[in-house]
Amino acid sequence: MISNIDEIVKIIRDSNNIVFFGGAGVSTESGIPDFRSVDGLYNQEYKYPPETIISHSFFEKKVEEFYRFYKNKCLKPMLNAKPNVTHQALYKLEKEGKLKAIITQNIDDLHHRAGNKNIYELHGTSFKNHCIKCGKKYTIEDILKADGVPYCSCGGIIRPDIVLYEEQLDNNIINSSIKFISEADVLIVAGTTLVVQPAASLINYYNGNKLILINLSNVPNEDKINYVIHDKLSKVFEKLI
Ligand code: OAD
């Protein structure tokens, strides 16, 4: 059902058990492109499709090409991005005890930087990295300042702590996400096309009748969603600041 913004704001204000499930659209207003919009990352020209580049087998076979794409297209826009009004409103809702968890597909760390504590990063984070040989930890700056592929002092390749295509999501993160979603009064699904599995299926664990979608474009099975807003996230969240 298409809803109006004031109705959604009221539902959010009235609830003390909100869970937020987000995707790349949460960070576009911080200047980080999403993946599947017309001007998103997946509609630009590369020698390989981005899903192929950001995969486990590609990382193993063509690590130079992986890092060329990953540094330029993923890391650089992230490095100086700041939390936007949506991240800030979610911080406020958590501080007030209303928001119980953020479950995000994003790897950009912006929810942490906004101050939220209970965050489940389904696809990991670009801000943590480790050597695949000795496990030594590295920062995002270490990755960016390396010329090409970043190597550890032990000689091993450093990789980001993100979940590449063909890799499994962390079971503890999945289980906690399911717990929060299944117990939520209000579930806000925002800025995601809901096409990447298994992340997208997690919202099926919601048991309530206040499932809210805030997304610029349509998503699959929208008729099963209780409240739908096709607008920018900032239009809703600026009213909650
Ligand atoms: P997508 O790029 O698929 O979807 C982003 C959605 O956000 C689109 O439907 C846009 O219309 C919407 N959007 C963009 N800006 C918005 C705004 N300001 N307000 C409201 N909506 C907005 O991104 P995800 O669904 O997050 O995986 O993609 C899922 C996964 O695909 C990512 O985590 C990544 C990618 O491959 C990995 O890297 C493993």
Side-chain angles (χ1 to χ4, degrees):
M1 175 179 82
I2 298 291
S3 309
N4 70 57
I5 289 176
D6 290 336
E7 185 185 10
I8 298 306
V9 168
K10 182 171 180 337
I11 293 170
I12 295 173
R13 283 219 176 99
D14 287 349
S15 177
N16 283 316
N17 183 359
I18 304 162
V19 170
F20 183 89
F21 179 95
V26 175
S27 296
T28 52
E29 293 179 77
S30 292
I32 302 173
D34 65 9
F35 296 93
R36 295 175 185 81
S37 292
V38 277
D39 53 352
L41 203 50
Y42 285 5
N43 291 308
Q44 302 172 19
E45 288 291 309
Y46 296 100
K47 204 166 145 204
Y48 304 93
E51 284 102 332
T52 303
I53 302 178
I54 316 172
S55 71
H56 181 86
S57 47
F58 195 89
F59 183 88
E60 299 224 302
K61 281 187 231 131
K62 295 185 184 295
V63 69
E64 291 85 7
E65 191 63 8
F66 169 89
Y67 267 114
R68 202 169 65 83
F69 174 89
Y70 175 70
K71 283 189 197 181
N72 281 328
K73 296 294 165 188
C74 301
L75 291 191
K76 280 184 184 160
M78 258 179 229
L79 195 60
N80 297 316
K82 299 205 166 41
N84 62 46
V85 70
T86 302
H87 300 101
Q88 288 159 4
L90 291 170
Y91 169 61
K92 183 168 174 265
L93 289 170
E94 186 184 80
K95 226 171 45 174
E96 292 166 352
K98 292 160 70 61
L99 178 73
K100 301 303 178 194
I102 292 177
I103 299 157
T104 181
Q105 299 163 84
N106 296 348
I107 54 177
D108 58 27
D109 200 47
L110 287 179
H111 290 299
H112 280 118
R113 278 191 267 167
N116 282 88
K117 296 281 178 279
N118 203 28
I119 305 166
Y120 297 93
E121 293 169 311
L122 294 169
H123 295 158
T125 174
S126 289
F127 284 70
K128 291 183 184 155
N129 303 272
H130 70 276
C131 167
I132 54 178
K133 207 163 142 201
C134 73
K136 187 173 171 192
K137 292 183 171 41
Y138 288 88
T139 64
I140 188 169
E141 287 82 8
D142 294 328
I143 304 298
L144 277 168
K145 77 178 181 225
D147 191 16
V149 179
Y151 285 96
C152 178
S153 41
C154 81
I157 292 174
I158 303 169
R159 68 158 283 174
D161 291 10
I162 62 173
V163 181
L164 301 172
Y165 281 92
E166 303 161 0
E167 294 180 338
Q168 301 281 323
L169 271 58
D170 181 304
N171 262 332
N172 291 332
I173 293 181
I174 297 223
N175 290 337
S176 299
S177 303
I178 291 175
K179 177 183 170 291
F180 280 102
I181 289 174
S182 62
E183 292 172 357
D185 164 38
V186 171
L187 178 62
I188 306 170
V189 176
T192 172
T193 39
L194 288 177
V195 294
V196 173
Q197 299 295 350
S201 300
L202 292 177
I203 69 165
N204 296 334
Y205 287 92
Y206 177 60
N207 291 308
N209 59 1
K210 285 172 238 160
L211 175 55
I212 300 171
L213 173 79
I214 311 166
N215 206 58
L216 278 176
S217 51
N218 290 74
V219 304
N221 300 321
E222 224 173 80
D223 52 324
K224 300 206 175 82
I225 295 174
N226 307 115
Y227 302 92
V228 175
I229 300 273
H230 284 306
D231 210 331
K232 286 191 172 180
L233 276 153
S234 54
K235 293 274 181 63
V236 177
F237 284 94
E238 68 194 6
K239 299 203 171 199
L240 288 156
I241 274 282

